[in-house]
Amino acid sequence: MNNMNQMMKQVKKMQEQMLKAQEELGSKTIEGSSGGGVVTVQVNGHKKLLSIQIKPEAVDPEDIEMLQDLVITAVNDALTQVEELANNDMGKFTGGMKIPGLF
């Protein structure tokens, strides 16, 4: 019975550490870019888009599709970086296993 109590305490401590790590992840800002930096986006560790910066040279009224592609590429770059950051930060608790819904 004592072993069970000990194990439950360890599980509770790990849960608290995981929650803290998730909160810290949300406070981190990640930047993605495309077109050599003509489009730059910032997202937080919870995958929320915070800002988009577009340099004037990226805007060509004759080629809106190019600008759309640059924005998509920059956002996807940032989100890929967030995923890698989350995997690294949370992987400490999961031993590298991907647990759906955890992050």
Side-chain angles (χ1 to χ4, degrees), residues 50-81:
L50 303 174
S51 70
I52 300 175
Q53 294 88 33
I54 301 173
K55 292 185 177 178
E57 59 265 28
V59 181
D60 179 356
E62 303 295 318
D63 193 4
I64 296 299
E65 287 181 13
M66 173 67 86
L67 179 56
Q68 292 169 337
D69 288 344
L70 289 170
V71 171
I72 290 169
T73 301
V75 170
N76 286 335
D77 178 42
L79 293 178
T80 298
Q81 291 181 56

Side-chain angles (χ1 to χ4, degrees), residues 84-96:
E84 290 170 2
L85 182 64
N87 286 337
N88 289 338
D89 286 359
M90 299 305 289
K92 295 179 250 180
F93 303 106
T94 63

Side-chain angles (χ1 to χ4, degrees), residues 5-52:
N5 287 336
Q6 186 97 359
M7 188 171 82
M8 293 305 290
K9 285 180 184 179
Q10 289 176 338
V11 168
K12 183 175 167 83
K13 182 178 178 183
M14 188 174 92
Q15 286 175 325
E16 290 170 357
Q17 290 172 332
M18 288 173 66
L19 285 173
K20 183 177 178 189
Q22 285 178 322
E23 287 176 21
E24 289 174 0
L25 190 60
S27 68
K28 294 180 180 178
T29 302
I30 296 88
E31 189 173 279
S33 66
S34 64
V38 294
V39 175
T40 305
V41 300
Q42 290 185 338
V43 297
N44 68 16
H46 289 157
K47 301 179 185 177
K48 300 292 182 195
L49 183 62
L50 303 174
S51 70
I52 300 175

